[in-house]
Amino acid sequence: MEHPFNIYNTLTRKKEQFVPLHAPHVGMYVCGPTVYGDAHLGHARPAITFDLLFRYLTHLGYKVRYVRNITDVGHLEHDADEGEDKIAKKARLEQLEPMEVVQYYLVRYHHAMEALNVLPPSIEPHASGHIIEQIELVKQILANGYAYESEGSVYFDVAKYNQTHHYGTLSGRNIDDLLNTTRALDGQEEKHNPIDFALWKKAQPEHIMRWPSPWSDGFPGWHCECTAMGRKYLGAHFDIHGGGMDLIFPHHECEIAQAVASQGDEMVHYWMHNNMITINGQKMGKSLGNFITLDEFFSGSNPLLTQAYSPMTIRFFILQAHYRSTVDFSNEALQAAEKGLARLMDAYSHLQKLQPSETSSVDVKDLRRKCYEAMNDDLNSPIVIAHLFDAARIINSVKDGHATLSAEDLKELQNVFHLFLFGILGMKDEAASADANRYEAFGKAIDLLLAIRQQAKANKDWATSDRIRNELTALGFTIKDTKDGAEWKIN
């Protein structure tokens, strides 16, 4: 590339040129959803952010192995160490098998991601399917002296680890401050320090998600799964680990400590984190009464919404802000995104119909370079969108006869507009998709009428048969009888 691709590395707190460890192969791991409820706007942001990265790296020619995990065990109610597993709790309350809960919400999550045009990852491993790998990880950390067993559970010894390494390297936290400020929760007397985190938890008798281990029948701590599965599918050292900023501490901090404690060095080269989506300046949450699922956005069924918003409006709304900036939801902001996206889609539609002139009165040759520069500057999607709006103004000017484009420039504009709007930003023309769906339904309706006509002919009901044929012909159809039934076309 003429302009190197730079990304912000949370670990070093600066933008760095992206240089894969094993080019052209790139290993990318992103923390996926915990599947005990419907996907919401907070799930959409990391999915779209790292879909943008996945698309762009692939476009640049890298062979990307994108791993996005499914957390279906070990995600607890309090500080990921104490309390009841959320999936187990829902299963108990609804009298379901835990994996029934997982499957139900995972299918719904996949449908939401498909609607948002988020590409599926290369691998989507489940935590519950990698218990053996997590047990092996715990064994390694114990063997290296950075963990201890207590009453059937195993905890990471943060203070001991910090004697030889730095716990807090990602989040910038100081262990002394943590030791002084971390509250002791009920039931944590078995820990050496309140900040020690669970690698393996002994299951209480009522706990329905449990597996045998050398220490007890229990389940892995939440932080283990990403370290174990990242190593399994991407190796002991891989390029990118991503997720929301809310995961920096404790989850990703604990992942770094687990990797170093088990293998002696860090696994991940670049740490990337998207910022949060807020509602009226507050983080979205059920307890605050501002929780909106993606299905509610698509249907407009939440009282906080004044209308339904299409999946592409949601995607465009998220991409209009840089992934590291906070986005505050409001109906007005979504409506503005809806109108902006419509302007770009209209411009693209007009672009396909423009006729070239002998010469160009406007310059479009810089558009490609500007869009690449924005993407190479830490995935600056809002700048790319701004350039596309500039291009839309040129398109409308040509359409209205106020400017001209040569055949070469018209083709370049068409290619660049299509590449960045659809290929890299991942937008879809929902109107065209709706038209295609309507046409498909229309065709099936005609086929149904002809099947009824065929049955009428078999029953020697000539009046019905002739009526269907004659009325379809009057509407502009040509009906041709064949030995297998009938064929039709629109005149």
Side-chain angles (χ1 to χ4, degrees):
M1 292 296 298
E2 181 182 352
H3 305 282
F5 174 41
N6 296 312
I7 58 176
Y8 184 86
N9 190 346
T10 310
L11 188 64
T12 59
R13 296 168 181 78
K14 63 182 180 181
K15 291 181 186 177
E16 299 179 8
Q17 182 178 345
F18 178 70
V19 180
L21 297 172
H22 308 289
H25 298 275
V26 172
M28 181 169 86
Y29 189 102
V30 175
C31 290
T34 303
V35 283
Y36 64 91
D38 276 328
H40 52 76
L41 201 58
H43 288 121
R45 189 159 201 200
I48 291 170
T49 294
F50 292 101
D51 182 62
L52 177 67
L53 177 61
F54 184 29
R55 287 171 180 271
Y56 192 56
L57 289 173
T58 302
H59 168 70
L60 293 179
Y62 294 114
K63 300 180 184 299
V64 185
R65 177 174 289 172
Y66 175 16
V67 180
R68 186 183 66 204
N69 70 298
I70 298 296
T71 297
D72 56 0
V73 65
H75 203 294
L76 306 180
E77 296 284 4
H78 303 295
D79 291 358
D81 280 344
E82 297 298 329
E84 186 172 10
D85 185 287
K86 293 180 179 181
I87 292 172
K89 179 179 180 180
K90 198 168 191 75
R92 177 176 54 77
L93 292 175
E94 298 183 12
Q95 295 185 317
L96 297 171
E97 281 290 328
M99 289 303 114
E100 284 184 275
V101 175
V102 169
Q103 186 65 21
Y104 175 79
Y105 287 111
L106 183 56
V107 168
R108 292 173 67 84
Y109 174 79
H110 285 156
H111 285 164
M113 293 303 105
E114 184 178 358
L116 292 168
N117 204 26
V118 169
L119 299 174
S122 313
I123 305 173
E124 193 174 56
H126 289 229
S128 62
H130 296 78
I131 301 298
I132 293 174
E133 289 84 355
Q134 293 177 77
I135 289 174
E136 288 303 308
L137 172 68
V138 178
K139 286 181 179 178
Q140 291 167 359
I141 296 172
L142 275 167
N144 290 338
Y146 293 110
Y148 56 90
E149 183 180 352
S150 178
E151 300 181 26
S153 295
V154 180
Y155 293 98
F156 191 95
D157 194 330
V158 173
K160 185 171 182 181
Y161 172 83
N162 199 62
Q163 292 174 2
T164 51
H165 304 89
H166 179 201
Y167 182 80
T169 182
L170 186 65
S171 62
R173 302 196 182 203
N174 184 290
I175 189 172
D176 293 327
D177 293 338
L178 292 173
L179 285 168
N180 293 330
T181 60
T182 303
R183 61 191 177 93
L185 299 173
D186 291 341
Q188 293 205 32
E189 296 84 359
E190 59 193 51
K191 290 184 180 184
H192 291 178
N193 284 299
I195 61 172
D196 294 348
F197 57 90
L199 299 173
W200 185 265
K201 284 293 292 181
K202 180 180 180 180
Q204 299 302 311
E206 66 275 9
H207 204 287
I208 56 178
M209 296 183 78
R210 60 174 66 217
W211 290 265
S213 80
W215 315 286
S216 64
D217 277 4
F219 49 92
W222 169 35
H223 312 303
C224 287
E225 64 185 82
C226 293
T227 306
M229 294 190 294
R231 181 184 296 165
K232 178 179 177 68
Y233 294 110
L234 299 175
H237 304 96
F238 58 89
D239 298 294
I240 298 169
H241 195 321
M245 283 188 176
D246 57 330
L247 297 178
I248 292 176
F249 187 88
H251 186 47
H252 289 164
E253 197 72 78
C254 293
E255 281 192 57
I256 289 176
Q258 289 171 161
V260 174
S262 61
Q263 68 183 36
D265 58 2
E266 295 186 18
M267 294 173 63
V268 180
H269 192 182
Y270 303 96
W271 286 89
M272 295 182 66
H273 295 89
N274 64 272
N275 214 322
M276 299 295 101
I277 293 181
T278 58
I279 297 182
N280 296 323
Q282 291 181 308
K283 184 179 177 180
M284 186 183 299
K286 290 182 179 179
S287 61
L288 298 173
N290 62 3
F291 186 82
I292 309 174
T293 70
L294 289 175
D295 280 347
E296 288 172 335
F297 273 105
F298 301 158
S299 65
S301 59
N302 190 289
L304 294 173
L305 302 175
T306 58
Q307 66 176 75
Y309 298 99
S310 74
M312 287 302 98
T313 298
I314 300 295
R315 185 179 180 103
F316 192 67
F317 168 68
I318 289 172
L319 290 174
Q320 277 187 305
H322 190 270
Y323 77 90
R324 287 193 288 114
S325 66
T326 303
V327 176
D328 195 52
F329 157 81
S330 69
N331 282 284
E332 293 75 18
L334 275 174
Q335 288 161 7
E338 185 176 58
K339 290 177 183 176
L341 177 58
R343 286 200 299 274
L344 288 184
M345 288 301 177
D346 286 345
Y348 181 75
S349 178
H350 296 320
L351 180 59
Q352 308 314 304
K353 301 169 187 174
L354 294 182
Q355 296 300 313
S357 300
E358 289 188 8
T359 60
S360 296
S361 63
V362 289
D363 183 12
V364 299
K365 291 184 172 61
D366 246 9
L367 178 62
R368 185 185 294 268
R369 177 186 61 79
K370 289 177 178 178
C371 288
Y372 273 123
E373 282 184 348
M375 286 300 297
N376 289 333
D377 184 20
D378 194 27
L379 303 178
N380 205 327
S381 58
I383 299 299
V384 174
I385 291 171
H387 291 322
L388 293 178
F389 275 122
D390 289 341
R393 282 189 281 274
I394 292 175
I395 292 165
N396 290 329
S397 183
V398 174
K399 174 180 74 72
D400 295 337
H402 303 311
T404 60
L405 284 171
S406 68
E408 180 184 356
D409 285 348
L410 177 58
K411 186 173 181 61
E412 169 69 359
L413 185 55
Q414 289 171 335
N415 289 343
V416 174
F417 208 93
H418 186 277
L419 168 63
F420 282 93
L421 183 61
F422 299 110
I424 293 174
L425 295 181
M427 305 309 300
K428 287 192 302 187
D429 188 342
E430 289 174 312
S433 298
D435 287 343
N437 291 336
R438 281 192 289 269
Y439 185 80
E440 183 180 1
F442 169 80
K444 289 180 178 178
I446 301 301
D447 290 339
L448 176 61
L449 277 173
L450 293 179
I452 294 171
R453 176 174 177 265
Q454 191 69 15
Q455 186 61 50
K457 288 173 66 177
N459 295 337
K460 301 187 185 306
D461 182 359
W462 308 116
T464 300
S465 171
D466 290 345
R467 181 183 177 189
I468 292 174
R469 181 196 61 207
N470 293 340
E471 294 199 12
L472 285 175
T473 300
L475 290 170
F477 291 87
T478 296
I479 307 300
K480 180 182 178 181
D481 289 312
T482 68
K483 63 178 182 178
D484 299 319
E487 295 177 350
W488 63 273
K489 67 177 182 178
I490 301 176
N491 296 330

